[in-house]
Amino acid sequence: MADVRTVRGTHDLVGEDMQRHRHVTGTALEIAERYGFGEISTPIFEFTEIFARSLGDTSDVVSKEMYTFEDRGGDSLTLRPENTAGVARAVISGGLLQSPPLKLFYSGPMFRYERPQKGRMRQFHQIGVEVIGSPDAKADIEVIALGWQILEALGVNDGITVEINSLGDPESRNAYREKLVGYFSGYKAKLSADSQTRLTRNPLRILDSKDEGDREIVAGAPPLGESMNDASRDFFARVQDGLGALDIAFTHNRNLVRGLDYYTHTAFEFTTDRLGAQSAVLAGGRYDGLMKQIGGPDTPGVGWASGIERLALLLQGAPERPRPVAIVPIGPAAEAEAEKLAFELRRAGHIIELAYKGKPGQRMKKADRANARLAITIGDDELARGVVKLRDLDKGEEREVMRAGLPAAI
RNA sequence: GCGGGCGUAGCUCAGGUGGUUAGAGCGCCAGGUUGUGGCCCUGGAGGUCGCGCGUUCAAGUCGCGUCGCUCGCCCCA
């Protein structure tokens, strides 16, 4: 075999894979539109600074997973590892926030330099939504409901758990961070190497460490709730009540955190145990500090992203394609008539299969393999009489109809 | 970056302890059926056995290396 392959961690999407992919994006967009979301598409690369500033230098994504390169003009550019920063940038640079809230849906490729494994690629695709400009808990509820409904419409919400948590507002969060650092410092020597690093960089992340030893220490850590001020507590209560009123089942996972500074209040994750080591199918939260951090106005936001490949892995089978009608000409005169008929029926909205060549038997076979529901056969006899034969390929029954009445007859 | 598993036809896989022209099923193409699919029969195309080096009279098979894929760790969608 010739030595031509895709770059490690990338895949071609074709056939059933492509159908599943499109089914996910199509379904998601349709439902997002029901919620009043408009679609946005931002460039797949941005100035590196956009991601570095929004994600923070210490995050794994920025420190080791970005595809960064210098273009011919000397600018440092980066293939987007996620899309919230790009959308936020678009909102600022395009002055889109005239009448908040702005509700945006996107889908497209993202790039992270990681070791590929099940449900994880170097080029992967996400769908996502952002509500920008509303500090209201109703936005959090709506966004979670939208995610839930998309998974329901895709038929994959069986076996999915919705976990939510709150980090509180910046005041609560900072108070809690100090408490945590105080607590974990007492166990510093016993923490895993990773968590010792986190202690200075990102203490909240110690809470969801998977290390056994860490977990024992985490179990005794002071709960976040104690550090929350009334406003934060109230906000979280409204989110939970709102989800409860919609009968969306969720669990409160106190160790679910987002490490970055701009995250506030709600954090949530839709998880499954059907994706090997990857459990997150859809995840997001409120990011009230983000817009300001990348140089825009101090504007709140909430959103999520979901991996299309992961959703596609959960899909049972491939979505069915609409069945075509095949035209089978018999003889040279019918050949020309078939092309005219195909054009006419396609313009009338029908899906038409017309093979370029082959004997009638071969064409019938092709019609069958194309999963055609009907075959229209035309020979010299039919041509002379102004009729065509309609063959039902499921039942094997054949009948004659007038050529002139065709678009309506099929 | 670290660890496990696996690389033989388009796909799924056979190929005891090395042995001569490398096989099957599915799929594909054609014929049987010069105006009718599915089922059946017959034939055909398609392989540098991932790549390299080594051991040997002889390597798909053994050894070493390398590349790739895959699963897991970290982290994440």
Side-chain angles (χ1 to χ4, degrees):
Chain A
M1 197 195 304
D3 189 17
V4 283
R5 32 178 143 78
T6 60
V7 171
R8 183 177 179 78
T10 68
H11 291 285
D12 298 314
L13 281 171
V14 66
E16 289 196 0
D17 289 336
M18 189 68 235
Q19 277 175 253
R20 274 189 282 267
H21 191 96
R22 197 174 68 158
H23 179 60
V24 169
T25 54
T27 302
L29 175 59
E30 187 200 325
I31 294 173
E33 284 178 334
R34 293 189 206 170
Y35 281 70
F37 283 70
E39 194 173 12
I40 185 173
S41 175
T42 65
I44 63 165
F45 51 72
E46 300 271 355
F47 291 113
T48 300
E49 187 61 15
I50 293 290
F51 301 115
R53 237 188 297 168
S54 72
L55 298 170
D57 299 332
T58 62
S59 67
D60 272 37
V61 170
V62 171
S63 59
K64 61 182 195 191
E65 295 176 0
M66 295 204 308
Y67 277 95
T68 296
F69 60 98
E70 193 172 290
D71 75 0
R72 289 162 188 267
D75 290 316
S76 178
L77 306 180
T78 292
L79 260 32
R80 62 186 187 193
E82 52 89 35
N83 204 28
T84 299
V87 170
R89 191 233 81 232
V91 169
I92 296 166
S93 51
L96 305 181
L97 205 62
Q98 295 299 308
S99 54
L102 183 61
K103 296 159 74 170
L104 296 170
F105 170 89
Y106 63 80
S107 67
M110 309 294 160
F111 307 83
R112 290 182 200 172
Y113 191 86
E114 300 183 274
R115 284 291 289 270
Q117 52 183 275
K118 187 173 187 178
R120 168 185 297 175
M121 270 73 65
R122 287 185 173 178
Q123 174 174 341
F124 60 107
H125 299 78
Q126 287 185 331
I127 53 174
V129 299
E130 315 290 353
V131 174
I132 295 174
S134 172
D136 201 311
K138 286 180 180 174
D140 304 51
I141 296 162
E142 186 175 53
V143 142
I144 293 171
L146 170 56
W148 190 93
Q149 189 178 336
I150 288 171
L151 299 198
E152 179 190 45
L154 290 171
V156 303
N157 63 349
D158 246 24
I160 290 213
T161 306
V162 180
E163 301 181 5
I164 70 170
N165 194 22
S166 174
L167 306 167
D169 61 15
E171 181 187 279
S172 305
R173 196 193 149 106
N174 289 335
Y176 184 53
R177 184 209 304 269
E178 279 179 34
K179 248 190 215 179
L180 270 190
V181 172
Y183 171 78
F184 284 124
S185 295
Y187 297 92
K188 183 163 186 185
K190 290 184 182 171
L191 287 171
S192 65
D194 282 334
S195 286
Q196 290 186 23
T197 311
R198 292 181 183 124
L199 191 53
T200 48
R201 286 183 169 182
N202 212 336
L204 293 190
R205 290 222 61 98
I206 299 175
L207 292 177
D208 65 2
S209 170
K210 285 167 191 161
D211 182 89
E212 292 273 334
D214 286 355
R215 288 193 158 189
E216 283 178 31
I217 300 170
V218 165
L224 177 63
E226 284 177 13
S227 304
M228 287 227 273
N229 56 30
D230 290 345
S232 298
R233 223 182 294 259
D234 183 54
F235 189 95
F236 191 40
R238 286 208 302 277
V239 173
Q240 294 182 80
D241 289 348
L243 294 177
L246 300 179
D247 279 332
I248 292 175
F250 62 89
T251 60
H252 180 188
N253 176 355
R254 290 163 200 282
N255 295 329
L256 173 63
V257 297
R258 314 259 108 177
L260 308 176
D261 285 344
Y262 59 77
Y263 281 114
T264 55
H265 296 293
T266 319
F268 55 90
E269 238 170 59
F270 291 35
T271 60
T272 177
D273 57 7
R274 288 164 56 202
L275 288 177
Q278 275 61 242
S279 60
V281 170
L282 183 154
R286 179 162 276 279
Y287 47 85
D288 289 350
L290 174 65
M291 293 284 281
K292 189 175 184 184
Q293 191 160 327
I294 63 175
D298 192 358
T299 307
V302 57
W304 53 252
S306 179
I308 296 175
E309 284 84 356
R310 291 186 182 178
L311 291 173
L313 283 171
L314 297 176
L315 244 36
Q316 311 288 347
E320 285 189 15
R321 299 179 67 188
R323 303 180 67 185
V325 170
I327 299 178
V328 177
I330 301 159
E335 202 77 48
E337 176 60 18
E339 285 172 43
K340 283 164 64 179
L341 182 57
F343 189 49
E344 178 187 332
L345 294 177
R346 284 166 176 161
R347 292 175 76 193
H350 290 99
I351 304 167
I352 302 299
E353 277 289 323
L354 175 58
Y356 293 145
K357 60 174 184 174
K359 297 185 297 189
Q362 294 170 310
R363 296 200 198 219
M364 288 299 290
K365 196 174 214 164
K366 278 182 183 163
D368 195 53
R369 275 193 309 247
N371 194 30
R373 60 189 170 88
L374 217 54
I376 299 173
T377 56
I378 321 169
D380 290 341
D381 175 50
E382 289 81 4
L383 223 42
R385 294 191 292 119
V387 299
V388 300
K389 288 213 167 84
L390 279 190
R391 183 178 182 83
D392 184 315
L393 291 174
D394 293 329
K395 296 178 186 158
E397 294 166 358
E398 203 162 88
R399 67 193 172 100
E400 243 177 44
V401 300
M402 296 304 291
R403 162 75 175 78
L406 243 197
I410 61 177

